[in-house]
């Protein structure tokens, strides 16, 4: 049995947990930067600029510069990555805004329902079958969103947009003939000019917190590894774990985001708690369904093996 096929490789599980833990605790970085004078647009610009260098380093270590050159020379692939870069930039923008404007709980809602939205997109776009577990999970999440709408007094635009943009990003990347690291590097490269021009504008107007002091620069620079490292950990672990395991671990991120929002003192009304109970129930059903499908697949493989 190869390493890629081995179920629940402890190293891969640990890597996946580290990845989703970093994603889940990312709001703390943005909240801390906001208290040091960074606005959401400047945080986003630093993510765009410094991620290029970190992504480039990992690309160099992986020996994938040749693939990156081929992608940059292929207009069709570059067009798809331009579209995916637009989706991830929108997602990043809204997420940074949410975590620096006391809307982390609503942001966590988006990442709870994202895997369920991915299932729906797979059924519509790729004719993937939705089984009974998946249908129940989607139904529970939908009820949770409706209750959240009632609790907030408006449609949870931030949470839904985060889920939709990340789902669209995943669908687009599914069509792109490029590795995860190469695609990320090219996306960051495409976003680099926008981030650099905005930072230059802030600097010329004396408003660039990241360039105002050594401490400000340190906060700015940490955005590069904070953006790229979780993605690299995810790419490594996803190739070595069953989808059921990834499907279960991925709920760690929004759970930690939810905890960050509560820690930051965001309003958690009884009705809002009820909405999250339905979301958590949907996530639990999703994980149980993924585990059931994985067991069935392993049994099928065992029955077909000789001896």
């Amino acid at each position: 049995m190869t390493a890629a096929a081995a179920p629940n490789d402890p190293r891969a599980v640990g890597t996946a947990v580290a990845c989703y833990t970093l994603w889940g605790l990312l709001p703390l970085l943005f909240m801390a930067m906001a208290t040091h004078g960074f606005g959401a647009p400047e945080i986003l610009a630093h993510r765009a600029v410094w991620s290029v260098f970190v992504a480039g380093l990992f690309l160099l270590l992986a020996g994938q510069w040749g693939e990156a050159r081929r992608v940059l020379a292929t207009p069709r692939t570059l067009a798809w990555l331009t579209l995916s870069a637009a989706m991830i930039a929108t997602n990043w923008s809204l997420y940074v805004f949410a975590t620096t404007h006391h809307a982390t709980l609503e942001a966590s809602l988006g990442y709870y329902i994202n895997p369920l939205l991915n299932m729906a997109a797979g059924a519509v776009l790729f004719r993937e079958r939705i089984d009974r577990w998946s249908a129940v999970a989607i139904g529970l999440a939908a009820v949770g969103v409706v209750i959240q709408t009632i609790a907030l007094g408006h449609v949870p635009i931030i949470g839904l947009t985060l889920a939709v943009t990340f789902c669209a990003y995943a669908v687009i990347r599914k069509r792109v003939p490029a590795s995860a690291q190469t695609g990320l590097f090219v996306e960051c490269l495409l976003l680099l000019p926008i981030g650099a021009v905005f930072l230059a504008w802030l600097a010329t107007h004396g408003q660039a917190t990241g360039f105002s002091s050594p401490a400000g620069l340190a906060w700015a620079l940490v955005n590069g590894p904070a953006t790229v490292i979780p993605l690299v950990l995810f790419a490594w672990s996803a190739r070595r774990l069953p989808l059921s395991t990834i499907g279960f671990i991925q709920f760690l991120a929004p759970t930690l985001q939810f905890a960050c929002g509560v820690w930051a003192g965001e309003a958690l009304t009884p009705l809002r708690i009820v909405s999250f109970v339905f979301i958590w129930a949907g996530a639990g059903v999703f994980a149980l369904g993924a585990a059931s499908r994985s067991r069935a697949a392993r049994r099928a493989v065992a029955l077909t093996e000789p001896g």
Side-chain angles (χ1 to χ4, degrees):
M1 183 178 287
T2 65
N8 297 334
D9 177 343
R11 295 174 304 166
V13 170
T15 301
V17 169
C19 158
Y20 285 105
T21 299
L22 289 172
W23 270 335
L25 297 177
L26 201 55
L28 297 179
L29 170 63
F30 302 144
M31 291 175 187
M33 291 182 71
T35 62
H36 284 79
F38 286 85
E42 185 179 1
I43 295 174
L44 180 66
H46 283 296
R47 291 194 81 180
V49 170
W50 305 120
S51 295
V52 176
F53 299 98
V54 181
L57 175 62
F58 279 108
L59 202 67
L60 179 64
L61 294 174
Q64 294 178 333
W65 277 106
E67 183 187 9
R69 286 194 295 269
R70 287 193 298 273
V71 167
L72 291 169
T74 307
R76 181 178 176 83
T77 304
L78 193 57
W80 277 114
L81 285 173
T82 301
L83 187 57
S84 66
M87 289 297 101
I88 201 63
T90 303
N91 185 274
W92 286 357
S93 301
L94 198 57
Y95 187 64
V96 171
F97 174 85
T99 55
T100 56
H101 287 77
H102 308 290
T104 306
L105 291 179
E106 190 175 339
S108 73
L109 171 76
Y111 289 109
Y112 273 121
I113 65 178
N114 176 250
L116 309 179
L117 189 61
N118 286 343
M119 282 193 299
V124 173
L125 299 176
F126 303 108
R127 300 186 181 279
E128 297 174 0
R129 188 175 68 88
I130 294 183
D131 59 16
R132 190 175 306 170
W133 289 97
S134 303
V136 171
I138 292 171
L140 287 168
V143 172
V145 171
V146 170
I147 297 174
Q148 182 91 180
T149 300
I150 297 170
L152 291 172
H154 60 82
V155 175
I157 296 295
I158 290 176
L160 292 177
T161 305
L162 284 171
V164 169
T165 52
F166 204 73
C167 178
Y169 175 77
V171 169
I172 294 166
R173 286 301 302 271
K174 189 179 178 71
R175 298 175 177 271
V176 176
S179 67
Q181 286 184 193
T182 298
L184 174 64
F185 172 74
V186 174
E187 288 164 349
C188 291
L189 197 62
L190 291 167
L191 296 175
L192 172 62
I194 301 173
V197 168
F198 183 70
L199 290 179
W201 183 89
L202 287 178
T204 57
H205 288 75
Q207 300 176 24
T209 304
F211 300 136
S212 62
S213 67
L217 183 60
W219 280 111
L221 290 174
V222 78
N223 278 272
T227 299
V228 175
I229 288 175
L231 288 166
V232 172
L233 294 176
F234 172 78
W236 190 89
S237 61
R239 290 194 301 268
R240 292 165 172 80
L241 288 175
L243 288 177
S244 59
T245 304
I246 288 290
F248 180 77
I249 296 173
Q250 70 183 342
F251 290 111
L252 176 62
T255 300
L256 290 173
Q257 292 164 5
F258 180 90
C260 288
V262 173
W263 173 81
E266 294 182 20
L268 190 60
T269 63
L271 191 58
R272 204 167 189 189
I273 292 174
V274 171
S275 77
F276 273 103
V277 167
F278 276 94
I279 297 295
W280 292 328
V285 170
F286 173 88
L288 288 173
S292 176
R293 289 190 295 272
S294 180
R295 287 194 299 270
R298 286 198 295 269
R299 285 196 298 268
V301 169
L303 290 174
T304 58
E305 289 180 347

